[in-house]
Amino acid sequence: MKYLPVLVVEDDSDLREAIVDTLSLAGYPTLEAADGTQALQRLRDHPVGLVVSDAQMAPMDGYTLFAEMKQRAPGIPFILMTAYGVIERAIELLRAGAAHYLIKPFEPSSLLAEVEKHLLRMPEEKGEVIAESAVMRQVYSLASRVAGSDATVLISGPSGAGKEVLARYIHRHSRRRDGPFVAVNCAAIPENLLESTLFGHEKGAFTGATQTLPGKFEQAQQGTLLLDEVTEMPLALQAKLLRVLQEREVERVGGTRTLKLNIRVLATTNRDIDVEVATGRFREDLYFRLNVIPLRIPALAERPEDILPLARMLLKKHAEAAGRSPVPAFSDEAERQLTAYGWEGNIRELENVVQRAVILAAGAEILAADLMLPTQVRTAEPVLPSVAGPEASQDADMKALEKRHILETLAAVGGVRKLAAERLGISERTLRYKLQRYREEEHPDEPLPPDAASSSLE
């Protein structure tokens, strides 16, 4: 299995070189950083499978680096190298989620043993798994690591981003791979049918129950059950789901017999589940039961390196389904438009566009015109909802209104960028980009709020 690089963060260049040489000779790829600030830049630019960091560095030490990583790259294991006299702080880091600590000086064998234990690997599977971007490589590497356990995984991300694909990947790489994979979309089933769909029902349990029907939990015995869009489940049913997850047993609607379950549960959501819990729309105890291992899939616009590989994979799929041989290729202009487009509908929207292009393309090449992408409405940075009247059709007015809408929303949530992005319906990355642009173009008669200016920078 291919390894992701080990990022070695050490301000002593001689020691850093020695650690890198030790890892390289053992066959591990490496990256280097002289301090925490440089390490964060490496993490932004490259996939990383493990961070091995010194504790005492300037201007950013190992403790601060770990705190920043918890926010920006929470799935990457972290090993701290520390002196004997400050073990207490290293232990605090362990409690906060660090993988391990090494006391200087340490033997190369000790370092290699911990690296082998904690280093994330690259997924080997080809086909529908596309992970060219650093963030998706880390997501799939962490998924590979947790697949072998029976721990519950909560996968979050926008609609159409590939949450079910990731769930199926976890199932295929688990010890339950020979068992069934059963997915139930909690948002697509009417509320009055969802309970019997999940738990099953006995004949005569309710009007229309003409026969006994096992539920999705029973159908997933010895395998994996995916609760897709679990935050759409009504509160009353959430309480029953919590009991089933806790007791690992289910009782059919209208039945009296308890059935023991031997399943793994995965769940997905396209909502900010913390907000759902805070507003009382989702039970906190159920959240803690599901959120054993959180995985987040970013929007397609946040991982542009994946757009063309995904488009080519989908092109091959739909061209073969349509009986087109040889499979056409995208023109240079088509690829440029695919990369520049905003993809608010994520991979689902990309697949629709590619399928349409396969049908419309007359020759051996997919032209930009075959994509039929909107050129005025949506670009790489999505246009926000307008609050204006008819005059907003002019570009200048639209930009001014969009700016006002963003700043008013940011002020309304006290400058909290995450909440502002949720209200605006855009990603935090898009919001940061726009705030930075406003900061650069700022006019004296329309100053930015202090929080907005500072929030635009990483």
Side-chain angles (χ1 to χ4, degrees):
M1 181 175 286
K2 184 179 178 182
Y3 294 104
L4 286 168
V6 180
L7 175 58
V8 179
V9 191
E10 171 61 66
D11 56 357
D12 184 326
S13 58
D14 292 336
L15 179 56
R16 186 172 69 246
E17 183 179 358
I19 294 172
V20 167
D21 287 346
T22 299
L23 294 171
S24 298
L25 288 171
Y28 297 111
T30 60
L31 294 169
E32 301 179 42
D35 57 52
T37 303
Q38 197 176 95
L40 291 178
Q41 183 63 48
R42 296 283 187 274
L43 287 165
R44 278 193 292 269
D45 296 340
H46 304 279
V48 171
L50 173 67
V51 173
V52 178
S53 174
D54 186 24
Q56 302 300 326
M57 298 177 295
M60 181 187 292
D61 62 19
Y63 306 104
T64 307
L65 172 60
F66 178 72
E68 289 291 325
M69 284 180 56
K70 289 284 286 183
Q71 298 298 318
R72 305 184 191 195
I76 301 177
F78 185 94
I79 294 177
L80 186 75
M81 300 180 292
T82 185
Y84 181 79
V86 287
I87 295 177
E88 293 79 7
R89 291 198 68 184
I91 293 174
E92 289 177 8
L93 242 63
L94 285 183
R95 294 194 182 106
H100 195 66
Y101 68 89
L102 293 167
I103 301 174
K104 295 180 178 180
F106 48 82
E107 293 295 324
S109 58
S110 299
L111 171 66
L112 295 175
E114 294 304 324
V115 169
E116 175 62 27
K117 185 186 302 181
H118 299 290
L119 179 60
L120 300 179
R121 275 74 165 172
M122 271 294 297
E124 295 179 334
E125 184 168 321
K126 302 296 182 182
E128 290 188 355
V129 174
I130 300 294
E132 295 296 324
S133 62
V135 63
M136 286 307 293
R137 288 186 181 187
Q138 287 161 359
V139 167
Y140 273 100
S141 182
L142 186 58
S144 298
R145 188 177 175 191
V146 305
S149 73
D150 267 349
T152 304
V153 180
L154 179 61
I155 305 170
S156 61
S159 294
K163 298 188 293 295
E164 184 171 340
V165 172
L166 180 59
R168 290 181 181 275
Y169 176 89
I170 292 172
H171 172 71
R172 285 195 302 271
H173 290 78
S174 73
R175 57 192 177 202
R176 296 179 178 272
R177 65 178 66 89
D178 295 327
F181 179 89
V182 178
V184 53
N185 189 332
C186 300
I189 301 174
E191 183 175 335
N192 60 333
L193 296 178
L194 186 56
E195 182 178 6
S196 64
T197 299
L198 286 173
F199 309 136
H201 62 258
E202 298 289 349
K203 182 178 179 180
F206 51 84
T207 303
T210 58
Q211 60 183 0
T212 296
L213 184 70
K216 298 295 184 182
F217 275 93
E218 287 182 68
Q219 295 172 31
Q221 285 282 35
Q222 313 301 322
T224 302
L225 174 68
L226 172 63
L227 298 172
D228 198 17
E229 306 303 353
V230 69
T231 42
E232 303 299 323
M233 185 177 293
L235 277 169
L237 195 53
Q238 290 177 27
K240 297 180 179 180
L241 173 61
L242 177 64
R243 183 186 177 281
V244 171
L245 296 178
Q246 286 175 335
E247 305 299 330
R248 280 296 194 269
E249 59 184 29
V250 66
E251 189 176 292
R252 293 174 184 164
V253 176
T256 57
R257 186 167 60 95
T258 298
L259 304 169
K260 288 291 183 182
L261 297 174
N262 180 8
I263 63 172
R264 184 191 195 162
V265 176
L266 308 176
T268 74
T269 178
N270 62 4
R271 298 179 180 269
D272 186 327
I273 199 165
D274 291 317
V275 172
E276 296 299 298
V277 171
T279 54
R281 292 191 292 267
F282 198 79
R283 292 179 62 105
E284 185 177 36
D285 46 7
L286 179 56
Y287 166 64
F288 289 129
R289 177 64 61 176
L290 292 172
N291 197 42
V292 178
I293 297 176
L295 292 176
R296 179 186 176 273
I297 296 185
L300 187 55
E302 296 177 57
R303 42 186 173 114
E305 302 92 337
D306 293 334
I307 293 174
L308 289 182
L310 280 166
R312 292 175 185 132
M313 180 269 289
L314 294 169
L315 177 60
K316 184 175 184 293
K317 169 186 170 182
H318 287 290
E320 290 176 349
R324 295 195 60 170
S325 181
V327 174
F330 291 110
S331 69
D332 292 342
E333 178 60 18
E335 290 192 347
R336 189 196 67 77
Q337 287 196 15
L338 287 169
T339 305
Y341 188 64
W343 300 115
E344 293 177 20
N346 295 292
I347 300 172
R348 186 176 295 126
E349 182 182 14
L350 175 62
E351 180 162 15
N352 290 342
V353 168
V354 171
Q355 184 177 16
R356 179 172 64 215
V358 168
I359 295 170
L360 296 178
E365 193 173 48
I366 303 291
L367 304 177
D370 299 324
L371 301 175
M372 296 181 62
L373 287 175
T375 56
Q376 301 294 327
V377 180
R378 283 152 58 189
T379 60
E381 295 300 333
V383 174
L384 295 164
S386 173
V387 294
E391 71 277 13
S393 60
Q394 300 299 318
D395 287 346
D397 288 344
M398 281 292 291
K399 290 180 180 178
L401 288 165
E402 178 186 274
K403 179 178 179 180
R404 186 191 314 162
H405 185 46
I406 288 176
L407 298 183
E408 287 176 353
T409 302
L410 191 65
V413 297
V416 180
R417 193 168 58 199
K418 181 177 181 181
L419 293 178
E422 290 169 356
R423 289 196 181 188
L424 292 165
I426 61 177
S427 68
E428 287 187 66
R429 174 179 173 272
T430 297
L431 181 58
R432 284 198 303 270
Y433 167 86
K434 289 183 179 292
L435 290 173
Q436 178 65 26
R437 190 178 67 192
Y438 299 156
R439 186 181 183 187
E440 294 169 352
E441 301 172 352
E442 182 178 351
H443 299 291
D445 59 341
E446 192 177 12
L448 286 170
D451 286 339
S454 61
S455 295
S456 66
L457 302 175
E458 290 282 357

